Amino acid sequence: MRRDMAFGALGDVEGALRGEGVGLAPMSTGEASLSAGGVTVLATATARDIAEGRLKGLVVPGGSSDEASLAAVRSLIDLARADDLTILAFADGVALTAERFGVDVEAEAAIFGGGRTVVLNERADLSKAVAALS
């Protein structure tokens, strides 16, 4: 999965989130997601971390294409939603998350949580939204 595809038009969202003080803990959704562009990514969080309240939110990038990955992502979205965590979704992850919330959203990025959905159209919107979550 290429990073530019994972986060769409907003570019290097991981760097932007880290710049806003957000610590990211990668989660694996299957064997295919353990390697990106020849770089092995070690998972540091699990669904259990969501269920036990150790995470403040879930980032859903795009790029999941096989049915096993999509099922795993749907499960994580459902778990985060049940625990009322904020979900930041990007690229085709927006449609996947919107489907689980039962809403219609077309955007490059969106935040789901607290009973509402906020569309993020550019990087400045991401910064404002992350600051509001703190």
Side-chain angles (χ1 to χ4, degrees):
M1 163 173 44
R2 291 183 9 219
R3 288 200 185 279
D4 59 336
M5 292 180 68
F7 296 106
L10 294 183
D12 180 14
V13 171
E14 285 187 44
L17 289 171
R18 289 183 198 284
E20 294 294 329
V22 175
L24 299 172
M27 238 182 236
S28 173
T29 58
E31 293 301 318
S33 64
L34 292 176
S35 180
V39 175
T40 300
V41 178
L42 299 176
T44 59
T46 66
R48 186 174 180 178
D49 292 312
I50 294 174
E52 293 179 357
R54 287 190 287 270
L55 301 177
K56 289 191 171 191
L58 177 67
V59 175
V60 180
S64 294
S65 57
D66 63 277
E67 196 50 47
S69 266
L70 288 169
V73 173
R74 286 183 186 109
S75 176
L76 291 172
I77 292 168
D78 292 345
L79 183 57
R81 183 175 180 213
D83 285 5
D84 200 29
L85 293 182
T86 298
I87 300 173
L88 285 85
F90 300 91
D92 56 345
V94 173
L96 187 63
T97 305
E99 166 197 313
R100 304 312 288 173
F101 274 75
V103 296
D104 185 30
V105 177
E106 289 186 33
E108 285 296 322
I111 295 179
F112 298 82
R116 61 191 197 122
T117 301
V118 177
V119 171
L120 306 174
N121 293 310
E122 54 189 53
R123 292 275 291 264
D125 294 337
L126 177 63
S127 294
K128 288 179 199 172
V130 169
L133 295 173
S134 301

